[in-house]
Amino acid sequence: QSALTQPPSASGSPGQSVAISCSGTSSDIGRSNYVSWYQQHPGKAPKLIIYEVTERPSGVPDRFSASKSGNTASLTVSGLQAEDEADYYCCAHTGSTNTYVFGTGTKVTVL
Amino acid sequence: EVQLLQSGGGLLQPGGSLRLSCATSGFPFNAYTIHWVRQAPGKGLEWVSTIGPQNYYEIYYADSVKGRFTISRDNSKNTVFLQMSSLRADDTAVYYCAKDHGHYDKDVWGQGTTVTVS
């Protein structure tokens, strides 16, 4: 159950886009249709922003989008806003063992 | 409104035991999977354990807690528990319970409760 690999940090100016990668293996991301993404502000509980690789829960702005290719998932935040400054985590469900693995987390800074 | 209210954290010595509670409301508790996730100070999120709904009673643990932690649920009280024993310093973390969205994810989270082993 090794953590998925994310870049430690990413940044962009207001209005710009930032992309965050989440690298795994053929045992987790590569074979999972259940990759989710979470946003966490300091001192707060995480918030679900993407589920099932590309789907957005009700109430999450369409500025947040995601995809998957092979063993890597990606989250893109378009039209960056100040409130997007937070930590972001990916998470994959591994069906063979019914376990979950989170990414190492990426701190997004809005310049 | 869906709510998860946590209790039971604290400070304890290595080798000790503690039970965390996650009381839920606002949704049909019997129908949903519940997870526990933890976050060590200054670190990332780590999945801990999962328990399935009433009629699909499945339980899973991370290797790091297997044999030491026990997850359970009381469907009459809409509450999930995490019994932790043989606690170690590296179990120190904020522990969150979270409701599954039905898509192997976590759509509503508790407020978190701090466990310190020292």
Side-chain angles (χ1 to χ4, degrees):
Chain A
Q1 295 176 341
S2 298
L4 306 173
T5 300
Q6 298 180 232
S9 62
S11 62
S13 299
Q16 291 187 331
S17 295
V18 64
I20 302 167
S21 62
C22 171
S23 178
T25 69
S26 59
S27 297
D28 39 61
I29 289 184
R31 65 192 302 174
S32 180
N33 293 322
Y34 300 106
V35 178
S36 50
W37 288 88
Y38 301 85
Q39 177 192 63
Q40 186 181 34
H41 289 106
K44 301 294 186 181
K47 173 187 175 183
L48 177 68
I49 56 173
I50 296 287
Y51 67 97
E52 281 189 16
V53 181
T54 61
E55 303 300 306
R56 276 178 292 104
S58 173
V60 174
D62 60 6
R63 302 185 294 102
F64 293 90
S65 63
S67 62
K68 189 187 85 166
S69 178
N71 299 336
T72 300
S74 299
L75 173 74
T76 299
V77 186
S78 306
L80 270 173
Q81 298 183 4
E83 59 262 34
D84 298 333
E85 187 162 292
D87 293 325
Y88 292 82
Y89 295 90
C90 58
C91 182
H93 173 254
T94 54
S96 60
T97 55
N98 269 304
T99 57
Y100 295 82
V101 58
F102 278 94
T104 50
T106 299
K107 181 176 180 59
V108 169
T109 300
V110 181
L111 301 172
Chain B
E1 180 188 6
V2 175
Q3 290 189 325
L4 285 72
L5 185 61
Q6 298 181 228
S7 60
L11 170 64
L12 63 164
Q13 296 181 339
S17 297
L18 194 65
R19 188 177 81 159
L20 305 183
S21 299
C22 175
T24 74
S25 60
F27 66 100
F29 179 75
N30 293 356
Y32 285 90
T33 291
I34 303 293
H35 309 276
W36 287 95
V37 175
R38 69 183 181 183
Q39 187 169 35
K43 303 297 184 181
L45 301 174
E46 179 189 14
W47 171 75
V48 172
S49 184
T50 293
I51 186 165
Q54 181 179 28
N55 294 321
Y56 195 59
Y57 211 84
E58 293 191 327
I59 291 175
Y60 306 98
Y61 298 100
D63 288 345
S64 58
V65 306
K66 198 173 295 183
R68 300 187 300 120
F69 289 13
T70 302
I71 192 172
S72 62
R73 64 192 295 158
D74 183 340
N75 288 334
S76 68
K77 297 181 179 178
N78 293 350
T79 300
V80 174
F81 304 98
L82 186 69
Q83 178 69 47
M84 306 184 294
S85 60
S86 302
L87 282 161
R88 313 184 301 223
D90 62 1
D91 293 319
T92 295
V94 174
Y95 285 73
Y96 294 100
C97 60
K99 168 188 162 290
D100 195 282
H101 186 215
H103 304 272
Y104 298 98
D105 51 29
K106 302 138 187 73
D107 69 329
V108 183
W109 294 64
Q111 82 277 19
T113 188
T114 300
V115 174
T116 303
V117 183
S118 176

